[in-house]
Amino acid sequence: LAGAKGVRDGAQPSEALRQAVLAVDPAVTNFDYAAEAYDATIAFVLAAQTAKDDDAAAIADALAGVTAGGEACGTFADCQKLVAAGKDVAYEGVSGKIDLDEDGRRQAATLSVVHYGEDNAPAMVDSVTVAGG
C-alpha cells in the first residue's frame, strides 16, 4: 500500500488532544476515535446538566438538544457557562460538528484522509466533514 491514499472514519485528533491522552496514559499508541470519545463524554455531561438529572433516560432525551439548534460553543467551559445561564447550546467538539437529530443520529461525519507509508502504516494527513443523516 506504500504511497496509496484512503479515507477512514473518524476525525484526526489534534496534537493537544494526543498530549492530553498521553498525560493520562503514556502507553497509548492508537488515537483512533480519541476525538469522538472525548466529544461523547462532553456531550453526555452537558446533557446531564441541561436535564438537571443524571438518569440515563433524562440524558438521552437532552443529548440531541445540546448538539444542535442552540448557541455554538466549542469547549466544555464555554458550553457549561451557557447551560448554567439557561441557554440552549450546540456543542461543536474536537471531532467536528456533532449535530444529532431527534432520533440521536449524527447529521454529519468527519472522515480522515490517510497516506500509507513505506511501512504500509496509515498516517492521517487531513480531515473532511460530510453531511448525511
Side-chain angles (χ1 to χ4, degrees), residues 1-132:
L1 293 175
K5 288 187 178 177
V7 178
R8 293 173 47 178
D9 56 333
Q12 180 177 0
S14 68
E15 186 59 28
L17 181 57
R18 288 174 183 257
Q19 293 305 314
V21 170
L22 289 171
V24 173
D25 185 352
V28 172
T29 59
N30 185 332
F31 296 91
D32 289 351
Y33 304 107
E36 290 79 7
Y38 178 87
D39 284 345
T41 302
I42 299 300
F44 288 136
V45 172
L46 292 171
Q49 289 178 337
T50 297
K52 296 180 175 56
D53 195 339
D54 63 358
D55 177 70
I59 292 171
D61 287 344
L63 191 57
V66 300
T67 66
E71 188 172 335
C73 51
T75 67
F76 176 70
D78 290 344
C79 292
Q80 189 177 37
K81 287 177 192 172
L82 293 170
V83 169
K87 297 192 177 188
D88 189 18
V89 299
Y91 174 61
E92 295 180 5
V94 296
S95 67
K97 277 187 88 114
I98 299 170
D99 202 16
L100 299 176
D101 70 10
E102 64 277 353
D103 295 322
R105 290 180 293 217
R106 195 166 183 173
Q107 298 303 294
T110 302
L111 305 172
S112 292
V113 178
V114 296
H115 179 263
Y116 289 86
E118 294 298 321
D119 61 356
N120 286 323
M124 290 187 224
V125 294
D126 198 6
S127 293
V128 295
T129 300
V130 294

